Amino acid sequence: MKIGYPCINRSVGCSSGRTFRLSSYSDERLEETVRENLRCLREILRFNRRECILFFRIASGLVPFASHPVCTAAWQDTFAGTFREVGRFVREHGMRISMHPDQFVVINAKDPGIVNRSVAELRYHAAVLDAMHLDGSAKVQIHVGGVYGDREASMERFASVYSLLDENILRRLVVENDDSRYTLADCLRIHEETGVPVLFDVFHHRVNPSGVGVAEAVEQSGATWRPEDGIPMIDYSTPMPGGRRGRHAESLDGADFERFLADTAPADMDIMLEIKDKEKSALVAVGIARRDGRFLLPAER
């Protein structure tokens, strides 16, 4: 079991997702930005290793505008050595990496232009992980997409587009249940059709349930992962007290997290904390998880 958090570390004093306006694009500007983003990413990973936080979601903005036609910079060649070094650090320290494109990546869209742009974005995400020479356990997670007034047809569109994706995307793609449109049961049906692994989001399941408890949901989603996919990944969070429906908590609810670990034992999983204070809650979660036999440091594996 590894514990992680997404994209931003508030302790290291830099961002690995810096960007700039599209109107000011130049190859030189892009390379300057990517160089700084990669420098910061290495700082974040070093921080995480020191604190035994061995799971991290890389910001999609690591290479700004990489999937846009305006991007003419050969960033994969220019930074090939740096990407390899990052990947080597990840492997040597028993870490795990993932990515999560934004909500505009919708492969079941009815508009072919949206689908084409979404696939281009997935190619970029897969290319980042390939550039790090990471194996198939480094995943890119997406949602099913829109319903468009016809859930069945929309799920079929997802399956149809999925079947046409490049192999380097397919080896990394996973689909997660969301908080309003597609339940875990829907995602499991899509898995039956396509073979795509299902990433279980605990909070989304509590907001948008599908008739099973969390422990059974962990078991069902975990069964969709093959050995080459690595240990199943889980997104975990709790609601913001008094906040709007679907809003994530600011800080880890330690008691709820302990119950979640107890309820899901002995299933192994890597847990991404989608909680607003990022590494602060991850540090608390690591302290709790140390008492769980599934949480092992690299030297203990």
Side-chain angles (χ1 to χ4, degrees), residues 67 106-107 109 111-123 161:
S67 68
V106 184
I107 70 169
D111 182 342
I114 295 175
V115 174
N116 290 338
R117 289 191 292 274
S118 297
V119 173
E121 189 71 3
L122 292 178
R123 285 197 186 103
V161 173

Side-chain angles (χ1 to χ4, degrees), residues 19 77 85 231 281:
T19 188
D77 295 330
E85 289 173 11
I231 292 170
S281 279

